[in-house]
Amino acid sequence: MDVDLTVTAGNYRFDGVSFAVDTNIWLLGDEEEVLVVDAGFDASAILAAVDGRDVVGIVCTHAHNDHADAALAVADATGAPVLLHPGDEKLWARVNPGRRPDAELADGQVLSVAGSPVVVLHTPGHTAGSVCLHLPDDGLLFSGDTLLAGGAGLTGDAWSSRSALHDSVRRKLLVLPGETVVHPGHGYDTELGAEQDSWA
């Protein structure tokens, strides 16, 4: 499994809060097809990373603008469906009004790219519809803002829950093999084993 990283930059905006942020956009697949994980800020940079390959889907790990505001432009350019958990539909409508995602994600759903299964894990907390993607055959986890190196995404608004996030991490993520490589929505990669103590 090839994993490509493109970092896009812009301003996170939500309920009157705004600050500059870099977002990790992940492309996983091979030389023929890719799955795009998150699509924030810069569709042209994402499309350049796709480099003509077939896009089998655009998964938004959640619907904050820094992860979803370029999703429709990438979809229109590639013909790929946008996939989002229904728990984030109201957030999505704030970022992309007038057009819904193409399909819903569900806990335990199995996607596929380049012959590898991609398991959807619903991990509410940062947002109600946050998801992570686990590739068991490759020992990889794409964690959005549910789990970052040394911490997790923000939970300071009415749409989030710190207790739900902690529960998601403990029940859904820390039960995976400790050597699983975590590719987060912001910042640096980590391994699940290295994050255990932070969530004890």
Side-chain angles (χ1 to χ4, degrees), residues 8-174:
T8 61
N11 287 319
Y12 167 84
R13 293 187 178 90
F14 187 73
D15 281 357
V17 175
S18 178
F19 54 84
V21 66
D22 293 339
T23 299
N24 295 336
I25 311 299
W26 300 100
L27 277 66
L28 47 149
D30 58 19
E31 68 279 359
E32 295 182 1
E33 65 177 28
V34 292
L35 180 69
V36 176
V37 181
D38 287 327
F41 296 137
D42 191 344
S44 62
I46 298 168
L47 292 169
V50 168
D51 194 25
R53 290 175 287 182
D54 181 39
V55 179
V56 299
I58 303 158
V59 171
C60 294
T61 61
H62 60 291
H64 284 151
N65 74 295
D66 55 326
H67 293 259
D69 68 0
L72 293 178
V74 175
D76 288 344
T78 62
V82 177
L83 312 175
L84 181 76
H85 190 278
D88 268 12
E89 282 190 1
K90 290 182 180 178
L91 287 177
W92 171 271
R94 287 182 166 202
V95 174
N96 296 295
R99 182 169 161 189
R100 300 183 65 185
D102 299 295
E104 295 182 353
L105 295 170
D107 188 50
Q109 179 179 355
V110 180
L111 308 174
S112 178
V113 63
S116 290
V118 180
V119 181
V120 178
L121 303 175
H122 180 215
T123 54
H126 179 63
T127 67
S130 287
V131 301
C132 298
L133 301 179
H134 180 221
L135 281 69
D137 293 350
D138 299 278
L140 302 175
L141 180 73
F142 296 84
S143 61
D145 286 1
T146 296
L147 181 66
L148 308 176
L154 300 174
T155 54
D157 59 68
W159 300 69
S160 63
S161 167
R162 174 61 62 175
S163 62
L165 188 148
H166 279 241
D167 184 62
S168 291
V169 171
R170 292 189 182 108
R171 289 193 308 107
K172 295 287 187 71
L173 305 186
L174 296 183

